[in-house]
Amino acid sequence: MTSFKEMDLTSLVGEMTTSMLGVAVTEGAEPVGGDIRQVVGCVHLTSPDWVGSILVAMPADAAAAATAAMFMLSPDEIEESLVADAMGEFANVLAGMAKTAIGGGCQLSLPSVTTGTGLKVVVPGAQLVEQRCYTTDLGRITLTTLEGK
């Protein structure tokens, strides 16, 4: 069974952004500062002997641009509820790719989405595995993986 530590997260993010948004990613962006409004999608993964979470975060303006690209809408057609749906779907797609790599009867939670400034999303009992930041033509994406007990 694979864990987050063994996955090529950059490939997963690249596949998602190419197929869903039509843009490529470049790794190595700086994390978004706490004073910037962000949208974070989160999905938890559970298998018989392993628990983890995937969080996908974007600045609100980048999340709106990604939502417009995903749904092929103009920026003025984007509402906050649609952005939440898109961010939940981004997290769900990445978690689904991870589930395939993990195997072993892994189950996914429904996605949750949090929006705000100065966010600190906490999954009780989970430890940070990795956090990677990416740049796209639409804005920055931060992918965080956590593992629990």
Side-chain angles (χ1 to χ4, degrees):
M1 180 166 55
T2 302
S3 74
F4 284 147
K5 294 174 188 167
E6 301 164 304
M7 280 186 226
D8 182 357
L9 299 176
T10 299
S11 290
L12 295 181
V13 172
E15 287 178 42
M16 181 203 67
T17 58
T18 300
S19 66
M20 294 179 76
L21 307 175
V23 297
V25 295
T26 303
E27 188 175 359
E30 291 295 318
V32 175
D35 58 338
I36 295 178
R37 184 173 171 79
Q38 292 190 73
V39 184
V40 181
C42 179
V43 172
H44 307 289
L45 299 89
T46 306
S47 72
D49 53 7
W50 183 86
V51 176
S53 302
I54 288 185
L55 291 83
V56 181
M58 297 179 83
D61 60 341
T67 300
M70 179 179 171
F71 293 115
M72 294 183 261
L73 298 171
S74 67
D76 60 323
E77 295 177 279
I78 302 304
E79 297 178 6
E80 193 169 329
S81 62
L82 198 55
V83 173
D85 288 346
M87 289 302 292
E89 187 59 18
F90 298 151
N92 199 41
V93 166
L94 286 169
M97 291 176 181
K99 174 185 174 180
T100 299
I102 292 166
C106 186
Q107 300 292 313
L108 303 180
S109 73
L110 292 173
S112 61
V113 177
T114 305
T115 303
T117 304
L119 292 177
K120 181 178 179 178
V121 178
V122 176
V123 177
Q127 301 284 330
L128 176 67
V129 173
E130 191 168 16
Q131 184 172 67
R132 292 194 181 187
C133 301
Y134 304 91
T135 302
T136 73
D137 289 343
L138 303 172
R140 291 183 281 179
I141 299 172
T142 301
L143 178 65
T144 303
T145 54
L146 307 170
E147 285 185 356
K149 297 177 184 178

